[in-house]
Amino acid sequence: MAKPKVAFYWCASCGGCEETVIDLNEGLLQVADAVDIVLWPVALDFKKKDVEALSDGEIAVSFINGAVRLEEQEEMVKLLRQKSGLVVAFGACAHLGGIPGLANFYNRETIFQRAYKEAPTVENPEGITPQEKTAIDVGELTLPEFYDTVKTLDQTIPVDYYLPGCPPPPDLVMNAVNAILKGELPERGAVLAPNKAQCDTCPRAETKPEKISMKEIKRPWEIKIDPEECFLVQGLICCGPFTRSGCGETCIRANMPCRGCFGPVDGVVDQGAKGLSAIASILGLEGEEKMSEEDTKKLINQIADPAGTFYRFSLPSSLLRRKRMEGVG
Ligand code: SF4
Ligand code: SF4
Ligand code: SF4
């Protein structure tokens, strides 16, 4: 019997999601044995034309990581959608926009200005920036369009399942691959991780009191972090209350607060807004005591980079999607 065909593709990605596939270790050999890999740019030399030559729906499943930032990425994911029975958004960038999605606080012009003209290591006296078309003696060179706005995968093509995480942990990937091979998948649209918050599975949960009052907000490098106590009690912002579990509490076990890469649980449309409201509700209050407006402002100002803290992985998928800027829709 023919093996199911599988494709791996990367868009605006750091490569970490590809590492997770390698981290399957001996599991990778099982996967390679059970499926026929038809596209995997980081490891195998298949071309776009090889995918084009397949029939529609012939690929059983495409795992696509990275956000969609370039015209070329949009073209490739649309092709993969056409050729695939299932598409899995693999990792936080494809799922929610991820770290590359923070670029939605800027636009193409401001990004090019910084990256190609202003950055201290750049030497570019003529101020040249990437052009979509450049005439040369023997014809024309082209580059894909660089969009103003970073998009999640499901803002570009319909997605069947989501594997969360930055990157998704290997055991979750292996479970997903096995479920696909056995045809034991949940309802389409599901996030393939438990529908619980980090706090529900956290080894520090017992030290998190029912009512917390954060009177001071610290950054991890400013204090000696207790390895057992809830981070919120220690004055550190932990995204655990508004982040899905399933990672094995990786950061928490390494004595770092959760930063939210698994995204929200089902039903939460905006992880950042949920986080803002969760943290705002515990700032400065104790019993009936109220803080003055001035002290409240001081406390809020202790949150370094609030937009980056609450929307670190999810800005493109949020209700905001991007900063409003002139000329950008
Ligand atoms: S989800 Fe994380 S590991 Fe994966 S591509 Fe994005 S930034 Fe890299
Ligand atoms: S806030 Fe963070 S440290 Fe505290 S219980 Fe929740 S996940 Fe654990
Ligand atoms: S603890 Fe939070 S930030 Fe760390 S891997 Fe898990 S979900 Fe991601």
Side-chain angles (χ1 to χ4, degrees), residues 198-199 202 204-205 208 230-232 238 240-241 252:
Q198 288 284 337
C199 291
C202 177
R204 303 180 188 216
K208 183 182 171 203
C230 171
F231 294 108
L232 293 173
C238 178
I252 295 163

Side-chain angles (χ1 to χ4, degrees), residues 75-97:
E75 204 178 299
M76 275 307 291
V77 300
K78 283 184 172 165
L79 176 65
L80 286 169
R81 177 67 277 184
Q82 185 190 332
K83 303 290 178 183
S84 308
L86 294 175
V87 167
V88 177
F90 190 103
C93 297
H95 176 202
L96 306 163

Side-chain angles (χ1 to χ4, degrees), residues 147-166:
Y147 295 143
D148 271 317
T149 300
V150 173
K151 287 188 188 168
T152 64
L153 189 59
D154 68 5
Q155 287 165 350
T156 312
I157 55 166
V159 165
D160 299 296
Y161 295 103
Y162 301 84
L163 260 169
C166 179

